[in-house]
Every structure is written in structure tokens, then in C-alpha cells.
Amino acid sequence: MSQTQVLARKWRPRNFSELTGQEHVIKALTNALEQNRLHHAYLLTGTRGVGKTTIARILAKSLNCETGVTATPCGVCPACQQIDTGSFIDLIELDAASNTQVDNMRELLENALYAPTSGHYKIYIIDEVHMLSKSAFNAMLKTLEEPPAHVKFVLATTDPQKIPITVLSRCLQFNLKQIPQTQIADHLKKILAQEKIPNDVLSLQLIARAAQGSMRDALSLLDQAIAFGEGTIEEAGVRDMLGIIDQSYLFDLLEALMQRNGLKLLSLADEMEAQCLSFDAALQDLATLLHRITLAQAVPQAISEGTPEHARIFALAKAFAPDDIQLFYQIALHGRSDLSLAPDEYAGFTMTLMRMLTFMPDDLTVNHQSLQIPATDNRPSGKTAHKPQVKSEHTLQHPIHSINVDSSDLVWPQLTQQLKLTGMAKMLAQHSEAKALSAENIELCVPDMHKHLLDKKYQDKIQAALNTYFGKPVVLNFSIGSITGLTPVALQQREEQVKQEKAIEAIEKDPIVQELIEQFDAKLIIPSIKPTQK
């Protein structure tokens, strides 16, 4: 019984026309071969699986094909066939990761002095060349300075920064790009058509995305998907194999966020936890979705009509302001990077959602027809929409008239709720602490960890909101320094912590819970206790 060949080997490109992506490299090499303008050393750089070794072998065939130096090797002559099978005597492949020593390099270079046995050129392909020792590079440098006419070097690396500049300067360098997802998906579709394996478009898109620009990884994942689906590739099976969360959860989360429905957000998080979904993957996919929503807002034509969930993407794009989506994107990224620091993944994920909820604008305009979401504010206690509660004599009727506001009544956390700030400007205000606060002069201090928020346009938005609130220009200054912890967001977190502690205490003192603990040796799962929202 013959063994099935893995797809990555079976479908390895045999000539330049079969390569997917890297058109800039193919064009340059093709022109050089056709015009016989050959260099003695080529350096191919790029991440794993983008075609470095494949291009090196095709170049070896182009130089040694019995039809002569050509950009279109015949593929049938002994030289081409032997290069394809790895048995061509004048093609020497070296893995520098396992041959780092200078003795190996000297032996290789000594053999380079001899003429090729059967081909036009001796080709040396050195993979992961950056792994060579300093003395090995020095030995190679001598040959690169005065190369024999019959020798060509093709160096490949994922880390060109580690290659000495003296070596780099003697090579013709090509930087291979990560292959776009659409090209990977299209290539996989062609292969599956040849293999006569049923599949669907979304499954191939998921595999292409998981491959992260590597065609070799994509083909390996495709092999796994075929085995996982017992000869059929379906979306559900691919999601299970890759551990990808159901995209509907992500849309439901954003729609619950738009409704300011904290209970719904937590309920969805509970469902995801019950299904053992990865919260790290969820935040990664949420950031991807927010990116697609931004594209729908800024460059609608970038989202093709065939994109899955096309309607829901554009509905959310209309429902949220662009700067809010930008803010949520940053929160998702920070939430994912902080996940390992959280008490547990559930806490880190839900805290990220609560942070998004905290910075939701109070005046969000919802496209009710497209999303059919009620406009009622279901935000949990402590997060209700705030409206300015100013005495009637302080109500601003004309912008040019100033208002008399008792400075002794001003408290920065409460004042921030009156300013109707949104997005990053609201985040800056929430992370600032007032060092001086009056109707004429306000000095805000931002801790060093949040200094990235001090963008002038966000400061200007806060300035404009203060001028409007007080009815006159207010002197506003920001500084970076230590704070006492009385920022609006710190106070809110303190309030939530107190609520959490009271909820835990109430459960621990509950007679029924105490009886269960005593009689059945039950244990409380503290992270599962959440305060009720009133």
C-alpha cells in the first residue's frame, strides 16, 4: 500500500509560474535569467513557508536545465528531475542551523573550487544562514569576494539582521512577503479541486487566516483538516480543529455593548466559558472584527459582498462612531496582552468587556432598522447614562454667556460624566486626576503608563467640552506624574471591587450556602460570584 504524500511536498511549485505570491521576486529573477545578468550570490529573506527554499530550487533548475540558462526550465531533463527529487550532485543544500562551525564551511568552500560534475553551475543553498558562526561567515566571505565563475550561492534566512553587513553587501537581496489570505485561499481551492475533496469557501478562509501568510503552514493545516473531516472540509470541523470561536459570539458581544447591556455581555462570556472557548483567541478575533468594521466605515469597497456576515459588519459600522471602534480595538489589544496578568482568563476577558462598556458614549445613535435593537439603556448599576444636572440658573443658553459655577462643588469624576466625551478623549479624562479644579483653571495629571493618551486632538476635545460646560474659555493644562488614585476610572474600579466583596460576603453568609458547605463539604468558586445589577 503506497503512502499518501503530504500536500506541502506534493504541490510544491516546480517552476516560477506555479508560485503563489512573490511576484516582485519572480519578475526580477525572470528578467535576470532572460538577459543572462546573473549574480554570484542571492539572499532570500522572509518568514517561514513563504517560498525561500522553493525559489532557490527553481533557480537551480533555471541555471542547470539542459536547454540552457532559462527562466522556464523544462522540468523533464535529467537535471530538472534530479533537482526536484533532491539527487542532483551539483546542488548542495546545507542547513546552517545544524552546521554552524567553521570546519563545515571550509570543507564546503574547498569543494566549491572544483568544476561541476554534470551541470552548468554548482549551486549552494544555505538555509537559515544567520545561524552560522562568526568564523564560518569569515570563511564564506573570502569566497564571496572572489567567487569561482561556476559557483552560485543562494542564501535563505528568517533573520537577516544577524547576517554580517560584509556578507549582505555581496549578495543580491530579495525580501519575500507574507502571502495574502485571499491568494492562499484561492490556491487551496485549486488544490482541493484537483484532489476532488469537497469544501466550502469559509473553511478555506479560516485556514488561510490561521496560516498567517505561510503557504506551507496552510497546506499542513489543509492536510489536518482533510483528516479531521474524514475527507470533507466543512466550516464547523475547521473551527473545531483550529479552536476558533463562533463568529456569531463576537457580533452578539458588540451588539450587547451597543445596547449598554452589561448582563448580556457577561451572559455571553459565561456561554463561551461553558463551551471551553479560548478567551485569548476571542480577543484576537474580536480585534479582527473591529478592524473589518473600521474598513467598512473608512473604505467600504474593501469588504466584498461575498464576505461572511457582510450585513452585520456594515450594520455595526453604521451604529458605532469610527473613534469608538478605534478605542475598542485598542482595548481589545491591551486586554489580550494583559490576559496572562489577570486572576484568570474569564476575569481578564470580562474586564476587557467592562472597560469597553465604561467608555461607551452616552449619545450613541443606533440604526434600529438594521439591527433591531431596543434603544433602552440597560447598562449595569454605576454605568447609567449621565445627563448634566446643573441648576436652572447655570443652564447654558448662549455660548457667549459665562456661567457662575461654585468651584467648591466641582469634583473631577462627576464633572467628566457631564462633559459628554466619547472615545479616546473620554479615556484620557477618565485616566486623569485633577490637581487643580475651578471654573477658570483646571490642571490634570496623567500617570506615566497612560501618557500615550496625551494626543493633542483628545486634549482639544476635552478643552472644547469644558468651554461649553462653563460657557467661557477655561485654562486647561496636562502633566505627566504620580497620582493618588482618585481618577474617575480608579474610583469606578474601587466601587466595583466593593460591590464584588459585598456579593462574596453575602453568599458566604447565606444560610443555605453554609449548610451545603457543612453537610456536603462543598466549596465556593469565588470567581463565579458576581454582584447583581440593579
Side-chain angles (χ1 to χ4, degrees):
M1 182 177 178
S2 61
Q3 186 177 2
T4 303
Q5 192 176 18
V6 297
L7 294 177
R9 290 179 61 85
K10 182 178 180 180
W11 291 96
R12 180 191 286 271
R14 300 288 192 265
N15 52 61
F16 289 128
S17 64
E18 293 179 2
L19 273 166
T20 301
Q22 318 308 346
E23 287 80 6
H24 61 300
V25 177
I26 296 169
K27 183 177 180 180
L29 290 176
T30 298
N31 290 340
L33 289 164
E34 290 177 347
Q35 298 168 20
N36 202 25
R37 298 177 65 88
L38 304 176
H39 203 273
H40 64 276
Y42 298 87
L43 175 64
L44 305 176
T45 69
T47 55
R48 70 185 190 282
V50 294
K52 299 186 296 296
T53 306
T54 296
I55 289 176
R57 290 176 180 170
I58 295 174
L59 181 58
K61 286 197 292 186
S62 296
L63 293 170
N64 282 299
C65 180
E66 292 186 1
T67 61
V69 174
T70 175
T72 55
C74 68
V76 295
C77 70
C80 286
Q81 291 185 343
Q82 288 170 17
I83 290 174
D84 282 338
T85 59
S87 59
F88 188 63
I89 195 169
D90 291 320
L91 174 61
I92 300 94
E93 294 194 42
L94 180 71
D95 181 7
S98 55
N99 295 274
T100 61
Q101 301 306 311
V102 65
D103 291 341
N104 297 328
M105 183 54 62
R106 283 176 179 159
E107 181 182 354
L108 181 145
L109 296 173
E110 286 173 1
N111 291 330
L113 298 175
Y114 300 103
T117 302
S118 61
H120 306 301
Y121 294 96
K122 264 191 175 180
I123 312 293
Y124 288 88
I125 298 176
I126 306 178
D127 198 15
E128 297 300 346
V129 68
H130 67 274
M131 298 290 287
L132 290 177
S133 65
K134 184 177 180 180
S135 53
F137 271 124
N138 288 336
M140 179 192 291
L141 188 59
K142 294 179 181 179
T143 304
L144 290 178
E145 288 173 342
E146 298 178 5
H150 61 265
V151 172
K152 301 295 179 185
F153 286 94
V154 185
L155 314 179
T157 179
T158 55
D159 197 354
Q161 289 80 13
K162 293 182 180 178
I163 299 177
I165 188 66
T166 50
V167 173
L168 287 174
S169 64
R170 288 166 172 82
C171 297
L172 197 60
Q173 184 171 343
F174 294 100
N175 300 312
L176 277 65
K177 303 173 183 176
Q178 289 189 324
I179 304 172
Q181 291 181 21
T182 52
Q183 287 191 343
I184 292 178
D186 289 344
H187 188 61
L188 298 184
K189 185 176 181 180
K190 292 176 183 176
I191 289 175
L192 292 173
Q194 294 288 328
E195 296 283 337
K196 295 182 171 55
I197 295 175
N199 63 89
D200 59 73
V201 174
L202 189 53
S203 295
L204 302 187
Q205 290 178 349
L206 293 173
I207 292 173
R209 186 175 69 182
Q212 297 183 331
S214 168
M215 184 61 79
R216 185 175 66 232
D217 286 2
L219 291 170
S220 297
L221 289 172
L222 191 63
D223 262 326
Q224 292 180 36
I226 293 169
F228 192 90
E230 298 180 350
T232 301
I233 298 179
E234 296 178 344
E235 179 192 350
V238 171
R239 285 191 181 279
D240 288 343
M241 182 191 78
L242 297 175
I244 298 174
I245 73 164
D246 185 351
Q247 295 289 300
S248 64
Y249 275 120
L250 304 179
F251 287 97
D252 292 345
L253 285 170
L254 290 180
E255 289 173 4
L257 182 64
M258 187 178 55
Q259 298 174 33
R260 303 184 181 88
N261 191 336
L263 283 174
K264 180 65 174 175
L265 286 172
L266 293 176
S267 175
L268 289 166
D270 290 342
E271 289 180 25
M272 294 167 69
E273 184 181 41
Q275 294 191 26
C276 300
L277 297 176
S278 166
F279 286 125
D280 179 78
L283 288 174
Q284 180 182 15
D285 289 348
L286 183 58
T288 299
L289 176 56
L290 291 167
H291 169 251
R292 292 163 71 194
I293 292 172
T294 295
L295 290 179
Q297 291 174 330
V299 193
Q301 59 270 30
I303 308 295
S304 66
E305 293 188 3
T307 302
E309 307 287 0
H310 180 274
R312 296 185 80 177
I313 290 172
F314 276 87
L316 288 169
K318 293 178 182 177
F320 285 101
D323 57 344
D324 291 324
I325 295 297
Q326 294 287 337
L327 173 61
F328 297 154
Y329 179 79
Q330 290 296 326
I331 291 175
L333 294 184
H334 284 294
R336 188 181 177 208
S337 65
D338 292 344
L339 208 57
S340 61
L341 304 176
D344 54 66
E345 283 208 350
Y346 176 88
F349 181 68
T350 52
M351 178 59 81
T352 301
L353 296 180
M354 292 303 103
R355 190 173 295 136
M356 291 180 180
L357 187 60
T358 299
F359 292 108
M360 273 289 294
D362 293 334
D363 56 350
L364 181 68
T365 301
V366 180
N367 186 333
H368 304 284
Q369 185 175 3
S370 62
L371 287 171
Q372 299 180 350
I373 295 174
T376 56
D377 189 343
N378 296 319
R379 189 183 300 189
S381 176
K383 299 184 178 67
T384 54
H386 295 281
K387 296 181 180 179
Q389 297 178 356
V390 186
K391 294 181 181 180
S392 58
E393 62 266 30
H394 292 169
T395 303
L396 181 63
Q397 299 295 336
H398 302 285
I400 59 170
H401 295 162
S402 63
I403 313 174
N404 293 320
V405 177
D406 186 351
S407 296
S408 63
D409 293 338
L410 292 175
V411 181
W412 180 242
Q414 280 71 32
L415 180 57
T416 58
Q417 297 170 1
Q418 310 290 332
L419 297 180
K420 294 187 176 181
L421 295 167
T422 63
M424 298 296 281
K426 182 176 182 179
M427 195 174 216
L428 173 58
Q430 292 276 30
H431 282 287
S432 301
E433 182 176 278
K435 298 297 185 181
L437 186 61
S438 70
E440 291 77 30
N441 179 61
I442 297 178
E443 294 181 18
L444 300 177
C445 183
V446 179
D448 186 72
M449 67 182 295
H450 295 299
K451 65 182 179 182
H452 62 281
L453 297 172
L454 282 172
D455 190 289
K456 187 177 184 303
K457 63 182 179 182
Y458 307 141
Q459 296 183 39
D460 290 345
K461 287 184 178 181
I462 296 175
Q463 177 77 70
L466 288 169
N467 293 348
T468 301
Y469 178 78
F470 289 106
K472 61 181 181 182
V474 178
V475 177
L476 174 64
N477 290 305
F478 282 91
S479 63
I480 301 173
S482 59
I483 60 173
T484 62
L486 296 178
T487 63
V489 71
L491 292 174
Q492 181 179 353
Q493 290 172 351
R494 191 179 304 174
E495 179 184 346
E496 291 175 351
Q497 183 178 357
V498 170
K499 288 182 180 179
Q500 180 68 19
E501 290 172 353
K502 287 182 178 179
I504 293 172
E505 182 182 5
I507 292 294
E508 289 177 336
K509 291 182 177 180
D510 185 274
I512 297 177
V513 173
Q514 291 180 343
E515 185 177 353
L516 289 170
I517 292 174
E518 291 174 3
Q519 293 188 9
F520 300 100
D521 195 26
K523 292 183 180 180
L524 275 177
I525 302 175
I526 299 299
S528 68
I529 301 174
K530 302 175 182 66
T532 56
Q533 309 294 334
K534 296 181 180 179

